[in-house]
Amino acid sequence: MKKKLLALVLTLAMALSLAACGGGDAPADSGDSGSDAPPAETQEPADSGDSGASGETYKVGICQLAPHPALDAATQGFTDALNALLPGQVDIDPQNAAGDSPTCATIVNGFVSGGVDLIMANATAPLQAAASATSDIPVLGTSVTEYGVALGIENFSGTVGSNVSGTSDLAPLDQQAEMIKEWYPDAKTVGLVFCSAEPNSQYQVDNVEKFLTDMGYDCTQYPFSDTNDMASVVQSAVDACDVLYVPTDNTVANNTGIVDNICRGVKPVFAGEEGICGGCGVATLSISYYDIGYKTGEMAADILTGKADVSAMAVEYAPQFTKKYNPVTCEALGLTAPEGYEAVTVQ
């Protein structure tokens, strides 16, 4: 009996001992809770001091009017600048309207509803669509000749003053007029061919006409409404004039073959930009579209990172201009380029 009682006592003692040990479920290091380290849930990552602008990401939408070497170069320059200045931080959505202005509005409205941080508008129609679609999202244009004309701003001072800025592809129009004088000093008449639906083209033609008139040329404007009457208008200019001038015009740029088929070997065409010259022209005073696209990308990086306010940014212009000629059209007309001209890439 005594043995049984002793065994019962020992059993109860062991049970009480196990209960005392099991009552504490804290981890083995729970005794460190009084140390200087903060609780795990309140600790910040070791690199939390670098979580500012360097780690922020941005969404940028690009609306390009049409596939064209000049516009393509501007888009490439813009993209390269953003990737260089904000590596890995920018999600770029490039879209192309295939030359259709209503499609520009559709693309831009998609960017707005998608909440992009910035819109790049490559050419006048995308710029106009973006300026109409939003007054809050920063909009940067490129390949736009004259922002005052494109946006209907009278007495444009160089700064739009709203959510819009960008870069211009305007080359000095007086120097373009002088280029015609350099090649054809004895010509009498100049036909100015352009699309009447493009206000920037009208602006260029009006100003070039003033310079040419001062030089003694008799100038006539030959506007066409679209590609349906383009060939007939170009033919009329060829029949009536010694020399043709085409400004930086998106419709002509997309249809240089029409002009070339009528003019090659027949009449010289002087162009407002390199792409048109490469397709149908004799010579041009041109800019680098890649360079203005890159500059636009630099402006975008400053806006996205808060270094600049788009409303205070003046429109930027190309830093330099280059005289170029088309060796194929020159050969067809029996022309030799004056000194100082570089050959363009023929389309």
Side-chain angles (χ1 to χ4, degrees):
M1 182 73 180
K2 288 182 180 181
K3 289 182 179 181
K4 290 182 178 181
L5 182 60
L6 179 59
L8 180 60
V9 171
L10 290 174
T11 300
L12 289 173
M14 290 178 64
L16 290 173
S17 175
L18 290 171
C21 292
D25 290 333
D29 64 351
S30 62
D32 294 335
S33 61
S35 69
D36 293 335
E41 66 269 16
T42 63
Q43 291 183 11
E44 294 181 357
D47 62 351
S48 62
D50 296 329
S51 61
S54 63
E56 193 166 353
T57 57
Y58 311 96
K59 293 193 296 182
V60 173
I62 298 175
C63 180
Q64 180 175 320
L65 176 61
H68 183 266
L71 302 184
D72 293 345
T75 292
Q76 188 63 56
F78 178 81
T79 302
D80 287 351
L82 278 182
N83 287 335
L85 296 169
L86 300 172
Q89 293 180 245
V90 186
D91 178 14
I92 301 174
D93 182 7
Q95 297 199 34
N96 199 299
D100 184 58
S101 294
T103 301
C104 293
T106 301
I107 292 172
V108 167
N109 286 331
F111 290 155
V112 173
S113 63
V116 299
D117 298 298
L118 185 141
I119 297 172
M120 195 277 261
N122 193 349
T124 300
L127 178 74
Q128 293 170 330
S132 297
T134 179
S135 59
D136 300 318
I137 299 172
V139 174
L140 290 178
T142 193
S143 312
V144 177
T145 304
E146 220 289 328
Y147 282 72
V149 172
L151 300 175
I153 304 172
E154 294 185 6
N155 301 317
F156 180 60
S157 63
T159 302
V160 176
S162 62
N163 64 317
V164 177
S165 188
T167 57
S168 170
D169 62 1
L170 182 64
L173 298 175
D174 58 338
Q175 294 182 37
Q176 291 191 18
E178 290 171 0
M179 183 176 58
I180 295 175
K181 187 74 171 179
E182 182 180 17
W183 285 72
Y184 282 88
D186 297 327
K188 303 298 182 184
T189 56
V190 178
L192 308 167
V193 181
F194 66 102
C195 180
S196 58
E198 298 189 34
N200 279 310
S201 295
Q202 182 72 67
Y203 170 84
Q204 293 171 80
V205 163
D206 288 344
N207 283 276
V208 167
E209 181 176 5
K210 294 176 184 177
F211 295 123
L212 289 171
T213 300
D214 290 342
M215 294 177 185
Y217 291 101
D218 182 11
C219 299
T220 303
Q221 295 190 10
Y222 289 88
F224 59 87
S225 57
D226 53 36
T227 54
N228 293 322
D229 63 337
M230 183 177 175
S232 62
V233 170
V234 172
Q235 187 63 62
S236 296
V238 167
D239 293 341
C241 302
D242 300 323
V243 177
L244 272 61
Y245 171 80
V246 177
T248 301
D249 184 287
N250 290 310
T251 307
V252 175
N254 291 327
N255 298 276
T256 55
I258 294 175
V259 180
D260 191 50
N261 288 338
I262 298 170
C263 297
R264 182 180 293 194
V266 180
K267 291 290 172 69
V269 178
F270 290 84
E273 60 93 8
E274 182 175 347
I276 295 175
C277 183
C280 64
V282 165
T284 184
L285 179 68
S286 190
I287 67 168
S288 167
Y289 277 81
Y290 180 89
D291 286 350
I292 63 170
Y294 199 96
K295 180 61 182 178
T296 310
E298 291 178 333
M299 296 169 74
D302 285 344
I303 292 169
L304 292 171
T305 56
K307 295 179 181 178
D309 178 0
V310 63
S311 67
M313 300 179 83
V315 171
E316 299 276 354
Y317 293 83
Q320 60 186 10
F321 311 96
T322 306
K323 290 182 176 181
K324 296 195 173 185
Y325 76 102
N326 184 327
V328 174
T329 54
C330 285
E331 182 180 359
L333 289 164
L335 297 172
T336 300
E339 291 186 8
Y341 281 78
E342 299 178 7
V344 300
T345 300
V346 179
Q347 296 180 20

